[in-house]
Amino acid sequence: SVMEDADLSMLVPAVCFASVGTAGQRCTTTRRLIVHKSLIDEVVKRLKSAYKQVKIGNPLEKGILCGPLHTTAALEAYKEAISAATALGGTIEVGGNVLEGRYVEPTIVTGLPHNSDLVMRETFAPILYVVPCDGFEDAVAINNEVSQGLSSSIFTKNPEYIFRWVGAGGADSGICNVNIPTNGAEIGGAFGGEKETGGGRESGSDAWKQYCRRATCTINYSKDLPLAQGIDFS
């Protein structure tokens, strides 16, 4: 989510990396960008410029950000999503085309309702849906209305927004970031989500659970057996 006080010089490369990197196929890829209505035109303008500079090709080569889609099924999902976005009245701001093989253009879509099935559906391809919000509460509501809940991020300088975002009434995802992308920095923390992307955590503070079991042990090293409530069986 992008609040009215967001630093756009940080936002644009973060969003570009999180939505285009790995050809949009990470579980933590940014698929929806919720932007305060006062900034949406400027954000889309800057993102379009950044997307046009993205190099597509062999991801093992230096400087290549976007590689191919993994499977033919992923390619078909990309094409179906682009066709659906156009049919529903969305605007393809940049991209939207299939290149050779399983290479596709990273795509930005605007003009679709935030609660449309297409926007709320996970398509593992480099497609970013940009939707407006009225303010913080609206951004949280839109963020939380989907069935997925792995990773989310907010861009703001406002401490109130930050602590509400990561608090109980904020983002309902397992990973709640602030002023960084939704992907790329989660390896050191307990990784996992909520809702349909729930199921516990791994790594970070929960790494021990992969190798140990938890047990509460009380050991009496004395020869006495003090009992609660002063009970005496003698």
Side-chain angles (χ1 to χ4, degrees):
S1 296
V2 184
M3 294 295 94
E4 67 274 13
D5 65 337
D7 185 337
L8 300 190
S9 65
M10 291 176 58
L11 171 76
V12 171
V15 171
C16 192
F17 173 74
S19 58
V20 176
T22 326
Q25 297 170 106
R26 292 193 190 196
C27 51
T28 51
T29 289
T30 297
R31 311 188 190 283
R32 299 177 301 146
L33 186 64
I34 305 159
V35 185
H36 192 277
K37 59 185 179 182
S38 66
L39 292 180
I40 193 163
D41 290 342
E42 181 65 20
V43 167
V44 170
K45 176 185 175 182
R46 294 195 189 194
L47 282 173
K48 287 171 65 175
S49 177
Y51 267 53
K52 290 175 182 178
Q53 300 174 52
V54 170
K55 294 181 179 180
I56 303 170
N58 183 348
L60 298 179
E61 295 179 4
K62 186 177 181 180
I64 301 296
L65 177 61
C66 187
L69 293 175
H70 187 249
T71 63
T72 301
L75 179 63
E76 291 303 314
Y78 172 87
K79 292 193 289 186
E80 289 174 9
I82 297 299
S83 297
T86 303
L88 291 170
T91 299
I92 307 298
E93 297 285 352
V94 66
N97 298 306
V98 176
L99 307 175
E100 61 179 325
R102 293 198 295 271
Y103 289 93
V104 300
E105 291 180 337
T107 305
I108 297 174
V109 179
T110 61
L112 293 178
H114 62 82
N115 58 352
S116 71
D117 289 341
L118 180 62
V119 173
M120 296 199 298
R121 185 175 73 209
E122 271 194 303
T123 300
F124 284 84
I127 302 174
L128 178 68
Y129 302 102
V130 183
V131 298
C133 68
D134 293 327
F136 178 81
E137 288 79 9
D138 194 29
V140 171
I142 294 172
N143 181 80
N144 294 352
E145 69 184 352
V146 296
S147 58
Q148 305 87 21
L150 180 56
S151 182
S152 61
S153 182
I154 190 171
F155 279 79
T156 181
K157 303 184 190 78
N158 189 326
E160 178 188 349
Y161 291 164
I162 291 171
F163 286 102
R164 290 175 66 190
W165 180 259
V166 302
D172 63 357
S173 53
I175 300 169
C176 299
N177 292 336
V178 177
N179 294 326
I180 62 170
T182 56
N183 66 348
E186 66 272 355
I187 191 62
F191 183 88
E194 301 295 335
K195 299 186 291 189
E196 287 188 1
T197 40
R201 299 291 186 272
E202 61 183 5
S203 299
S205 60
D206 278 23
W208 64 270
K209 293 181 181 178
Q210 310 301 316
Y211 308 99
C212 306
R213 66 178 177 86
R214 176 158 36 190
T216 300
C217 303
T218 304
I219 301 174
N220 183 4
Y221 288 101
S222 75
K223 295 182 179 179
D224 298 319
L225 186 65
L227 299 175
Q229 289 84 45
I231 297 175
D232 185 0
F233 288 106
S234 61

